């Protein structure tokens, strides 16, 4: 590089206040904000409900992406909250039309994006759950959109959509059961989230089958019961989202997520206490 070009090159050194240590401005200053993982094992840590990670996970001390789980959980929670309130006929509201916009925009698109970001973070469980439930909300919104004509009297089912929707919800009940099995060694709050969601799908699916045989009174009971379980899962999703957002930089306390006694996290703590007592 010529002397002329060198004189034009931008300097990477920063002007520092007087009294700064020598060499402090010898390069660009990078400030990274990350969580304190000093209390965790150096390689892997236990389940983390706030990151929607039921198994062993490796902390990202220098990751460039934020934790996408609270965003996905919040998108799921709000959409589920609204639909569950309607399923319970809260304040006399029984038509789910208002859910269409939320299901497309927040529960669908935003949750799907959170699932894709979980792929970048290496969280297989979170990527599978968020992407799938994002797809659920988009597909459910399509069912409710009159333009598609799926539920209209002149549609493909001639208005008799109870059993087809029942099949749709039964499939999601099966899928949620698979995810539920993956939370048995995680935390109580994460397990209960999927447990109540699983029951919500089960009751809402059986509601459709009851309507298909003309039992409207039983269908109403099943719908309200499914709505109640969905309501509980929505608040648990918000709770887990809060657990993922809170840290020492923004909160004076952190909500407990309650690890199972047989979880790897609790066993690690027991082993650590045993080593300290023997020392």
């Amino acid at each position: 590089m010529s002397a002329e070009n060198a004189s034009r090159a931008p300097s990477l050194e920063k002007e520092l206040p007087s009294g700064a240590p020598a060499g402090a401005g010898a390069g660009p200053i990078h400030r990274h904000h990350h969580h304190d993982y000093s209390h965790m094992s150096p390689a892997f840590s236990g389940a983390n409900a706030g990151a929607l990670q039921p198994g062993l996970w490796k902390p990202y001390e220098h990751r460039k992406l934020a934790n996408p789980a609270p965003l996905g959980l919040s998108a799921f929670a709000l959409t589920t909250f609204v639909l569950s309130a309607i399923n319970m006929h809260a304040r006399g509201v029984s038509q789910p039309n208002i859910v269409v916009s939320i299901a497309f925009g927040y529960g669908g698109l935003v949750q799907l994006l959170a699932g894709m970001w979980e792929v970048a973070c290496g969280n297989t469980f979170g990527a599978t759950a968020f992407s799938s439930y994002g797809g659920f909300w988009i597909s459910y919104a399509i069912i409710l959109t009159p333009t598609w004509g799926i539920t209209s009297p002149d549609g493909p089912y001639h208005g008799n959509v109870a059993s087809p929707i029942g099949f749709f919800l039964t499939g999601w009940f099966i899928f949620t059961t698979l995810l539920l099995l993956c939370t048995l060694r995680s935390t109580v709050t994460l397990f209960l989230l999927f447990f109540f969601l699983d029951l919500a799908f089960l009751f809402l699916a059986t509601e459709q089958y009851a309507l298909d045989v003309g039992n409207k009174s039983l269908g109403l009971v099943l719908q309200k019961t499914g709505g109640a379980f969905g309501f509980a899962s929505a608040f648990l999703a918000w709770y887990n989202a809060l657990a993922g957002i809170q840290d020492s930089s923004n909160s004076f306390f952190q909500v407990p997520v309650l690890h199972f006694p047989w979880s790897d996290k609790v066993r690690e703590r027991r082993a650590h206490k045993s080593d300290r007592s023997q020392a």
Side-chain angles (χ1 to χ4, degrees), residues 29-263:
I29 299 176
H30 299 283
R31 293 182 176 88
H32 297 284
H33 299 280
H34 55 80
H35 294 284
D36 180 16
Y37 296 107
S38 59
H39 63 287
M40 299 179 179
S41 62
F44 290 90
S45 180
N48 189 330
L52 204 73
Q53 177 56 272
L56 292 177
W57 66 292
K58 195 169 185 178
Y60 302 97
E61 293 195 30
H62 302 290
R63 68 180 177 188
K64 297 181 180 179
L65 291 176
N67 178 13
L71 175 62
L73 287 165
S74 299
F76 170 84
L78 178 58
T79 319
T80 305
F81 169 82
V82 175
L83 180 60
S84 298
I86 295 173
N87 283 332
M88 292 189 297
H89 292 204
R91 300 187 63 83
V93 179
S94 59
Q95 295 300 320
N97 304 66
I98 189 63
V99 179
V100 174
S101 59
I102 310 173
F104 271 127
Y106 197 36
L109 177 60
V110 172
Q111 192 174 183
L112 179 61
L113 290 174
M116 296 298 101
W117 290 323
E118 286 284 17
V119 173
C121 290
N123 183 0
T124 303
F125 182 89
T128 303
F130 288 142
S131 301
S132 297
Y133 290 124
F136 162 78
W137 283 116
I138 293 174
S139 58
Y140 188 70
I142 291 175
I143 293 174
L144 295 179
T145 303
T147 307
W148 294 90
I150 296 176
T151 60
S152 62
D154 56 347
Y157 301 106
H158 305 289
N160 186 19
V161 296
S163 283
I165 293 179
F167 299 153
F168 174 78
L169 295 173
T170 300
W172 286 104
F173 162 72
I174 296 172
F175 171 74
T176 305
T177 302
L178 299 180
L179 294 184
L180 177 65
L181 295 175
C182 296
T183 65
L184 293 175
R185 296 180 63 183
S186 61
T187 65
V188 175
T189 56
L190 189 60
F191 170 80
L192 288 178
L193 164 59
F194 285 94
F195 178 70
F196 287 140
L197 179 61
D198 208 22
L199 291 177
F201 278 124
L202 176 62
F203 279 100
L204 293 176
T206 52
E207 172 219 349
Q208 297 299 320
Y209 298 137
L211 294 177
D212 190 52
V213 297
N215 196 336
K216 294 184 179 180
S217 58
L218 177 60
L220 180 61
V221 172
L222 292 171
Q223 181 189 23
K224 290 184 176 181
T225 305
F229 282 118
F231 209 70
S233 68
F235 277 97
L236 281 165
W238 270 320
Y239 185 93
N240 283 282
L242 178 61
I245 297 173
Q246 283 184 314
D247 59 28
S248 58
S249 69
N250 59 30
S251 178
F252 291 106
F253 69 96
Q254 288 183 285
V255 294
V257 292
L258 305 175
H259 288 83
F260 281 119
W262 54 82
S263 67

